[in-house]
Amino acid sequence: MYYKVAARAMYAGTTWILKNTFSRFGLEVTFVDGSNVEEYRKAIKANTKVLYGETPANPLMGILDLEAFGQLGASNPGIVTVVDSTFASPYLQQPIKHGIDIVIHSW
């Protein structure tokens, strides 16, 4: 089973997929305070593959420290960081410059 750590506050459609669909494919998810990188760090297990954040987070507008999040992913080999940057736009926020591996932007 693979393990993913994700933000508690995020787009409802994403939360629904993580809770209801991914488990059928062997993906276990733990939800943490998405604006607190230390909570992500504490939730990492040996089988963690993905750290997923959203910033600003929908609907509460929580802000994730992209630099610290990118460093957390880089310091854990085999873990991919993914950030949904829809509200601030990847163009303005530039998560990849902060070490994020994958950036999502929806229209």
Side-chain angles (χ1 to χ4, degrees):
M1 175 163 296
Y2 292 110
Y3 186 68
K4 178 177 180 172
V5 182
R8 237 182 260 116
M10 71 174 122
Y11 175 65
T14 303
T15 301
W16 190 92
I17 288 171
L18 292 175
K19 286 182 176 180
N20 301 298
T21 303
F22 282 11
S23 61
R24 290 186 280 160
F25 299 99
L27 181 67
E28 177 189 354
V29 181
T30 293
F31 294 92
V32 299
D33 175 352
S35 61
N36 186 337
V37 174
E38 188 57 32
E39 284 200 24
Y40 281 96
R41 184 182 322 280
K42 289 177 184 176
I44 292 174
K45 297 181 180 181
N47 60 339
T48 299
K49 299 298 179 194
V50 176
L51 300 176
Y52 184 92
E54 184 175 300
T55 188
N58 179 9
L60 303 175
M61 295 297 143
I63 302 297
L64 175 62
D65 180 340
L66 291 174
E67 192 72 30
F69 194 65
Q71 288 174 0
L72 177 60
S75 67
N76 288 278
I79 292 180
V80 175
T81 52
V82 180
V83 168
D84 182 334
S85 184
T86 298
F87 278 5
S89 104
Y91 177 77
L92 296 174
Q93 207 168 28
Q94 301 187 358
I96 290 176
K97 286 187 177 179
H98 298 285
I100 305 305
D101 298 307
I102 299 171
V103 180
I104 298 170
H105 179 245
S106 62
W107 293 69

